[in-house]
Amino acid sequence: MESINSQLSGFALSFIERAGYSGIFILSALESAGIPIPSEVVIPFSGFLAFTSGFDIWMVIFIATLANLAGSVVLFWIGKSGGRWILDHYGKYVFIHKHDLDKGDRWFAKYGNKAIFWSRMLPVVRTFISLPAGVSGMNFSKFCLFTFLGALPWNAGLAFVGYKTGENWDILHDYFRSAD
């Protein structure tokens, strides 16, 4: 599994370098739609590029957040259209497992609409909470609002981590060189 994560991360990094902002959007939307592309790699690297390659940090944050909304809407509508049954049976083919869906269901049952906002800041749960929101028939406008507002601090935090890494690259570079 570590090899798959490493390959996905390598792909994501080179894709963003080539595709720019549209690469951030595509990868972030796919991640929010349940495809295992780690935002913990995509967004910090994009923040790093904001420091080193002329990306705008605020644009990185906005595009990633908008993409999270777009991908989440896909899962919301899958859930709303009876997609839970499909995901229970076929989700394993796109790395969506029953325990992920069950975790999202528990969060949503316990916290309701607030779960959408808060879960956007939790790895794994942040993606799959869209399904129970759709299954439960949550108001779509509220879903979009809570999704966007919840994804914003997550993306800002990750982007600034990457930006600060770029700011301190000389210090980190020396550390990694001595570790080699």
Side-chain angles (χ1 to χ4, degrees), residues 16 18 32 34 43 53 57 59 65 91 124 128 144 149 171 178:
I16 293 167
R18 286 191 314 255
S32 291
I43 307 307
S53 300
I57 189 74
M59 189 64 102
T65 303
V124 181
F128 298 106
C144 290
L149 293 177
I171 297 166
S178 68

Side-chain angles (χ1 to χ4, degrees), residues 47-48 51-52 160-172:
F48 177 79
F51 183 80
T52 61
F160 280 115
V161 164
Y163 190 86
K164 287 295 182 185
T165 300
E167 221 173 57
N168 298 300
W169 184 247
D170 293 335
I171 297 166
L172 293 171

Side-chain angles (χ1 to χ4, degrees), residues 8-137:
L8 281 171
S9 296
F11 164 76
L13 299 180
S14 66
F15 186 71
I16 293 167
E17 279 186 311
R18 286 191 314 255
Y21 292 123
S22 59
I24 297 168
F25 184 89
I26 291 166
L27 294 176
S28 294
L30 288 173
E31 182 260 339
S32 291
I35 306 302
I37 298 169
S39 62
E40 296 86 348
V41 172
V42 171
I43 307 307
F45 182 68
S46 301
F48 177 79
L49 290 176
F51 183 80
T52 61
S53 300
F55 277 34
D56 180 82
I57 189 74
W58 299 108
M59 189 64 102
V60 166
I61 294 166
F62 178 73
I63 287 172
T65 303
L66 194 60
N68 288 160
L69 175 60
S72 296
V73 164
V74 170
L75 285 185
F76 177 89
W77 285 110
I78 288 172
K80 191 163 182 81
S81 63
R84 176 59 191 251
W85 180 88
I86 293 168
L87 290 170
D88 279 340
H89 290 85
Y90 302 107
K92 62 186 172 195
Y93 299 112
V94 290
F95 304 106
I96 299 173
H97 301 286
K98 185 165 176 27
H99 68 273
D100 298 321
L101 296 171
D102 292 342
K103 188 183 269 187
D105 285 343
R106 285 191 301 275
W107 260 82
F108 197 74
K110 186 173 182 179
Y111 299 107
N113 293 346
K114 290 181 242 173
I116 299 302
F117 176 81
W118 292 109
S119 67
R120 296 297 171 197
M121 295 175 249
L122 299 171
V124 181
V125 176
R126 66 186 308 273
T127 298
F128 298 106
I129 196 68
S130 301
L131 290 165
V135 168
S136 74

